[in-house]
Amino acid sequence: MVNAALPEWSTFEFIILLADILLGIYAWAIFNLRLEKRIKSKLPNWRGSIMTAFTFLGTLIGGVTLVVGLLTINYNKYVKFKTPSYTSAVPLIKERLVIDEVKLGSTGDDVVVLQTLLYQDTEVYRGPASGYFGEVTRQGALKFQKKHGLDQSGIADLPTRNKLSEIYSYQTREYWLSMIRLMPIIAPITQSTQNVSNNAKWGVPERVEGTEHGWAMRVNNDSTMATAQEIFDALNVYRSKKGVRGLNWDGNLASFALERANFYKANGLDDHAGFKNYIGNDDNRRKLGFRGIGENGSIGYLMTGTHVIEWVFASDAPHDNNQLDSDWSDVGIGVSGTGVDIIFGSTRF
């Protein structure tokens, strides 16, 4: 019974169970001692000793039979009550792969393992193993729960962790942790320009014809151009407004972002060709220090930091989703003239 219900048992419940057992043994011993004393007072000779022995065996057999009988009768009902609702019997789990419950905002190895396991099913999760439980990971957990008939909480609760272990415990937790080096490089990328036709609508983003990632928007300029620090501050303020954690400044990402901004100033946007060529080299990614790297870029907007983030990059879904992605942990920003480049990073080497 205890083994069948083990996944739901707490330490306190085990202590109570042991206390009940010890109390039962103590009560049985006291009863037999008192009964023996009474019998020997009535039958002081060898008949009393035989009667005492029969009484001892009788109470022992009767007690064991009673307890086993009650457990047998109530076994199915008890197990059904104690085990998770998603199954009628606890699955055979060689090892619990995600040890503790993790949810939105959680970090650490359990999140890495969760993300790696979810990634094994392309219908469920295609995000990074960043070690941070963001909205992308929550959506992956929801899809996994829906696919396997679990309560859709978006949390790696006990039933979800059991199901993951049931499916993937053919390999150890250490193995799945090591798989992070095989996770994909993510590179969400978008670029925006103010080079639009005179017929373009003010403040309305439009796709740039002939590009894969280009957007254009016609807006009024400010009197000054933001610095990289001002854009960084505005980005974290905006993420905070949207309920997303702030990003850390990274010098390596900032150096690369400045190179890209200088390129924009001299040549205009390149539909991320330079970015993709650079991060396509494993040595370059290691130099930057991140497995997951993304980019937002723009040219032609003379604006404050707040307007760069909340007007230019927030105007279209690809830019905005990128700058609000909860899986990013670090960022570097470069500004050259009106060229702005933001390089995002997640999952350090």
Side-chain angles (χ1 to χ4, degrees):
M1 179 186 73
V2 173
N3 287 336
L6 187 60
E8 291 289 328
W9 275 67
S10 66
T11 303
F12 178 73
E13 286 172 315
F14 273 116
I15 292 172
I16 294 297
L17 175 65
L18 290 174
D20 284 344
I21 293 171
L22 292 173
L23 250 152
I25 293 171
Y26 174 76
W28 172 78
I30 293 296
F31 171 77
N32 273 280
L33 287 171
R34 289 181 177 177
L35 188 59
E36 179 184 0
K37 186 177 180 181
R38 183 178 291 271
I39 290 172
K40 285 191 173 182
S41 68
K42 300 288 185 182
L43 299 169
N45 52 25
W46 60 271
R47 293 186 182 88
S49 297
I50 293 176
M51 183 63 70
T52 300
F54 275 118
T55 304
F56 173 82
L57 290 173
T59 56
L60 179 63
I61 294 170
V64 171
T65 303
L66 178 64
V67 171
V68 172
L70 287 172
L71 289 179
T72 303
I73 292 169
N74 291 283
Y75 178 80
N76 290 334
K77 181 179 179 181
Y78 186 86
V79 171
K80 185 177 181 181
F81 172 75
K82 290 299 290 182
T83 52
S85 60
Y86 68 92
T87 179
S88 59
V90 175
L92 180 61
I93 297 172
K94 298 178 183 177
E95 178 185 12
R96 179 153 290 120
L97 302 175
V98 182
I99 298 171
D100 295 320
E101 180 176 290
V102 288
K103 56 187 176 181
L104 202 62
S106 297
T107 58
D109 284 350
D110 274 329
V111 179
V112 172
V113 175
L114 172 68
Q115 291 168 330
T116 306
L117 296 179
L118 293 176
Y119 184 78
Q120 303 311 303
D121 187 342
T122 58
E123 296 178 355
V124 167
Y125 183 73
R126 299 302 293 170
S130 63
Y132 175 75
F133 196 122
E135 181 59 29
V136 175
T137 306
R138 192 180 80 87
Q139 290 299 322
L142 284 168
K143 290 178 182 177
F144 177 85
Q145 289 165 340
K146 182 178 181 180
K147 184 170 184 176
H148 295 280
L150 306 175
D151 289 340
Q152 294 173 50
S153 62
I155 297 172
D157 51 19
L158 182 65
T160 303
R161 301 196 317 271
N162 279 348
K163 194 65 180 178
L164 286 165
S165 296
E166 180 187 349
I167 297 171
Y168 297 113
S169 62
Y170 57 85
Q171 294 287 4
T172 65
R173 174 180 165 89
E174 286 69 28
Y175 170 84
W176 292 117
L177 272 172
S178 72
M179 285 294 289
I180 187 173
R181 68 181 185 274
L182 302 177
M183 294 290 282
I185 299 302
I186 54 171
I189 43 181
T190 49
Q191 291 182 328
S192 183
T193 179
Q194 194 169 196
N195 295 330
V196 294
S197 68
N198 292 330
N199 296 325
K201 295 180 181 179
W202 288 91
V204 179
E206 298 177 355
R207 292 300 303 266
V208 177
E209 189 176 347
T211 68
E212 185 179 357
H213 306 286
W215 290 80
M217 185 171 65
R218 191 178 182 190
V219 292
N220 285 325
N221 283 321
D222 295 324
S223 58
T224 58
M225 183 64 200
T227 65
Q229 181 65 51
E230 289 168 344
I231 295 173
F232 172 67
D233 292 339
L235 173 61
N236 275 337
V237 168
Y238 181 60
R239 286 171 67 93
S240 178
K241 287 180 185 177
K242 298 295 185 178
V244 185
R245 66 168 178 165
L247 301 176
N248 301 310
W249 182 270
D250 183 85
N252 291 334
L253 297 180
S255 296
F256 181 42
L258 182 57
E259 288 182 22
R260 295 286 292 151
N262 286 333
F263 177 88
Y264 298 160
K265 181 181 179 181
N267 305 284
L269 302 181
D270 61 350
D271 205 25
H272 295 288
F275 172 81
K276 287 186 283 189
N277 287 338
Y278 186 85
I279 68 164
N281 184 301
D282 186 62
D283 290 336
N284 290 336
R285 291 197 304 274
R286 289 184 178 276
K287 194 182 300 181
L288 292 176
F290 295 88
R291 291 184 175 85
I293 306 170
E295 178 180 65
N296 271 1
S298 68
I299 188 73
Y301 301 96
L302 186 71
M303 291 189 169
T304 65
T306 300
H307 288 169
V308 167
I309 296 299
E310 299 191 25
W311 284 12
V312 177
F313 290 142
S315 64
D316 59 85
H319 277 101
D320 201 34
N321 291 340
N322 205 15
Q323 67 180 357
L324 290 177
D325 193 326
S326 60
D327 284 320
W328 299 132
S329 60
D330 294 76
V331 70
I333 300 172
V335 177
S336 181
T338 60
V340 174
D341 196 67
I342 303 179
I343 302 293
F344 302 96
S346 71
T347 315
R348 288 183 177 274
F349 279 102

PDB file of all heavy atoms in Angstrom, residues 128-141:
ATOM      1  N   PRO A 128      14.547  27.013 -26.722  1.00  0.00           N
ATOM      2  CA  PRO A 128      15.887  26.638 -26.254  1.00  0.00           C
ATOM      3  C   PRO A 128      15.859  25.968 -24.893  1.00  0.00           C
ATOM      4  O   PRO A 128      14.874  26.061 -24.162  1.00  0.00           O
ATOM      5  CB  PRO A 128      16.584  27.996 -26.151  1.00  0.00           C
ATOM      6  CG  PRO A 128      15.474  28.928 -25.753  1.00  0.00           C
ATOM      7  CD  PRO A 128      14.247  28.439 -26.475  1.00  0.00           C
ATOM      8  N   ALA A 129      16.945  25.314 -24.543  1.00  0.00           N
ATOM      9  CA  ALA A 129      17.133  24.808 -23.177  1.00  0.00           C
ATOM     10  C   ALA A 129      17.914  25.865 -22.406  1.00  0.00           C
ATOM     11  O   ALA A 129      19.092  25.714 -22.119  1.00  0.00           O
ATOM     12  CB  ALA A 129      17.886  23.480 -23.189  1.00  0.00           C
ATOM     13  N   SER A 130      17.240  26.953 -22.099  1.00  0.00           N
ATOM     14  CA  SER A 130      17.898  28.126 -21.526  1.00  0.00           C
ATOM     15  C   SER A 130      18.073  28.042 -20.017  1.00  0.00           C
ATOM     16  O   SER A 130      18.834  28.792 -19.433  1.00  0.00           O
ATOM     17  CB  SER A 130      17.078  29.382 -21.856  1.00  0.00           C
ATOM     18  OG  SER A 130      15.785  29.298 -21.258  1.00  0.00           O
ATOM     19  N   GLY A 131      17.313  27.145 -19.368  1.00  0.00           N
ATOM     20  CA  GLY A 131      17.355  27.086 -17.915  1.00  0.00           C
ATOM     21  C   GLY A 131      16.449  28.095 -17.256  1.00  0.00           C
ATOM     22  O   GLY A 131      16.408  28.192 -16.029  1.00  0.00           O
ATOM     23  N   TYR A 132      15.696  28.846 -18.066  1.00  0.00           N
ATOM     24  CA  TYR A 132      14.721  29.805 -17.530  1.00  0.00           C
ATOM     25  C   TYR A 132      13.333  29.420 -18.017  1.00  0.00           C
ATOM     26  O   TYR A 132      13.114  29.217 -19.217  1.00  0.00           O
ATOM     27  CB  TYR A 132      15.045  31.231 -17.958  1.00  0.00           C
ATOM     28  CG  TYR A 132      13.992  32.233 -17.523  1.00  0.00           C
ATOM     29  CD1 TYR A 132      13.918  32.642 -16.194  1.00  0.00           C
ATOM     30  CD2 TYR A 132      13.057  32.735 -18.427  1.00  0.00           C
ATOM     31  CE1 TYR A 132      12.932  33.529 -15.771  1.00  0.00           C
ATOM     32  CE2 TYR A 132      12.079  33.628 -18.019  1.00  0.00           C
ATOM     33  CZ  TYR A 132      12.028  34.022 -16.692  1.00  0.00           C
ATOM     34  OH  TYR A 132      11.047  34.897 -16.290  1.00  0.00           O
ATOM     35  N   PHE A 133      12.386  29.319 -17.094  1.00  0.00           N
ATOM     36  CA  PHE A 133      11.008  28.923 -17.416  1.00  0.00           C
ATOM     37  C   PHE A 133      10.212  30.185 -17.767  1.00  0.00           C
ATOM     38  O   PHE A 133       9.665  30.859 -16.898  1.00  0.00           O
ATOM     39  CB  PHE A 133      10.384  28.219 -16.208  1.00  0.00           C
ATOM     40  CG  PHE A 133       9.140  27.427 -16.507  1.00  0.00           C
ATOM     41  CD1 PHE A 133       9.086  26.073 -16.218  1.00  0.00           C
ATOM     42  CD2 PHE A 133       8.017  28.033 -17.061  1.00  0.00           C
ATOM     43  CE1 PHE A 133       7.931  25.335 -16.471  1.00  0.00           C
ATOM     44  CE2 PHE A 133       6.867  27.315 -17.325  1.00  0.00           C
ATOM     45  CZ  PHE A 133       6.824  25.957 -17.028  1.00  0.00           C
ATOM     46  N   GLY A 134      10.200  30.490 -19.054  1.00  0.00           N
ATOM     47  CA  GLY A 134       9.462  31.652 -19.531  1.00  0.00           C
ATOM     48  C   GLY A 134       8.154  31.255 -20.184  1.00  0.00           C
ATOM     49  O   GLY A 134       7.696  30.108 -20.090  1.00  0.00           O
ATOM     50  N   GLU A 135       7.548  32.200 -20.885  1.00  0.00           N
ATOM     51  CA  GLU A 135       6.246  31.961 -21.506  1.00  0.00           C
ATOM     52  C   GLU A 135       6.325  30.895 -22.591  1.00  0.00           C
ATOM     53  O   GLU A 135       5.398  30.099 -22.759  1.00  0.00           O
ATOM     54  CB  GLU A 135       5.695  33.275 -22.084  1.00  0.00           C
ATOM     55  CG  GLU A 135       4.323  33.155 -22.725  1.00  0.00           C
ATOM     56  CD  GLU A 135       3.244  32.652 -21.763  1.00  0.00           C
ATOM     57  OE1 GLU A 135       3.362  32.892 -20.539  1.00  0.00           O
ATOM     58  OE2 GLU A 135       2.283  32.019 -22.240  1.00  0.00           O
ATOM     59  N   VAL A 136       7.440  30.872 -23.336  1.00  0.00           N
ATOM     60  CA  VAL A 136       7.605  29.861 -24.395  1.00  0.00           C
ATOM     61  C   VAL A 136       7.607  28.456 -23.783  1.00  0.00           C
ATOM     62  O   VAL A 136       6.974  27.529 -24.299  1.00  0.00           O
ATOM     63  CB  VAL A 136       8.909  30.112 -25.183  1.00  0.00           C
ATOM     64  CG1 VAL A 136       9.153  28.997 -26.187  1.00  0.00           C
ATOM     65  CG2 VAL A 136       8.846  31.456 -25.904  1.00  0.00           C
ATOM     66  N   THR A 137       8.301  28.306 -22.664  1.00  0.00           N
ATOM     67  CA  THR A 137       8.344  27.009 -21.979  1.00  0.00           C
ATOM     68  C   THR A 137       6.979  26.646 -21.412  1.00  0.00           C
ATOM     69  O   THR A 137       6.555  25.487 -21.458  1.00  0.00           O
ATOM     70  CB  THR A 137       9.391  27.034 -20.852  1.00  0.00           C
ATOM     71  OG1 THR A 137      10.652  27.448 -21.403  1.00  0.00           O
ATOM     72  CG2 THR A 137       9.555  25.660 -20.219  1.00  0.00           C
ATOM     73  N   ARG A 138       6.276  27.642 -20.872  1.00  0.00           N
ATOM     74  CA  ARG A 138       4.934  27.388 -20.321  1.00  0.00           C
ATOM     75  C   ARG A 138       3.991  26.881 -21.409  1.00  0.00           C
ATOM     76  O   ARG A 138       3.208  25.956 -21.189  1.00  0.00           O
ATOM     77  CB  ARG A 138       4.363  28.659 -19.685  1.00  0.00           C
ATOM     78  CG  ARG A 138       3.104  28.406 -18.842  1.00  0.00           C
ATOM     79  CD  ARG A 138       2.585  29.694 -18.238  1.00  0.00           C
ATOM     80  NE  ARG A 138       1.828  30.448 -19.214  1.00  0.00           N
ATOM     81  CZ  ARG A 138       0.519  30.295 -19.451  1.00  0.00           C
ATOM     82  NH1 ARG A 138      -0.177  29.396 -18.764  1.00  0.00           N
ATOM     83  NH2 ARG A 138      -0.093  31.023 -20.357  1.00  0.00           N
ATOM     84  N   GLN A 139       4.074  27.481 -22.601  1.00  0.00           N
ATOM     85  CA  GLN A 139       3.236  27.025 -23.705  1.00  0.00           C
ATOM     86  C   GLN A 139       3.584  25.594 -24.100  1.00  0.00           C
ATOM     87  O   GLN A 139       2.708  24.795 -24.439  1.00  0.00           O
ATOM     88  CB  GLN A 139       3.397  27.964 -24.907  1.00  0.00           C
ATOM     89  CG  GLN A 139       2.802  29.345 -24.709  1.00  0.00           C
ATOM     90  CD  GLN A 139       1.306  29.313 -24.455  1.00  0.00           C
ATOM     91  OE1 GLN A 139       0.567  28.513 -25.039  1.00  0.00           O
ATOM     92  NE2 GLN A 139       0.836  30.178 -23.554  1.00  0.00           N
ATOM     93  N   GLY A 140       4.888  25.254 -24.044  1.00  0.00           N
ATOM     94  CA  GLY A 140       5.307  23.891 -24.336  1.00  0.00           C
ATOM     95  C   GLY A 140       4.751  22.909 -23.321  1.00  0.00           C
ATOM     96  O   GLY A 140       4.294  21.816 -23.679  1.00  0.00           O
ATOM     97  N   ALA A 141       4.766  23.308 -22.035  1.00  0.00           N
ATOM     98  CA  ALA A 141       4.210  22.447 -20.985  1.00  0.00           C
ATOM     99  C   ALA A 141       2.713  22.249 -21.189  1.00  0.00           C
ATOM    100  O   ALA A 141       2.188  21.137 -21.017  1.00  0.00           O
ATOM    101  CB  ALA A 141       4.489  23.049 -19.606  1.00  0.00           C
TER     102      ALA A 141
END
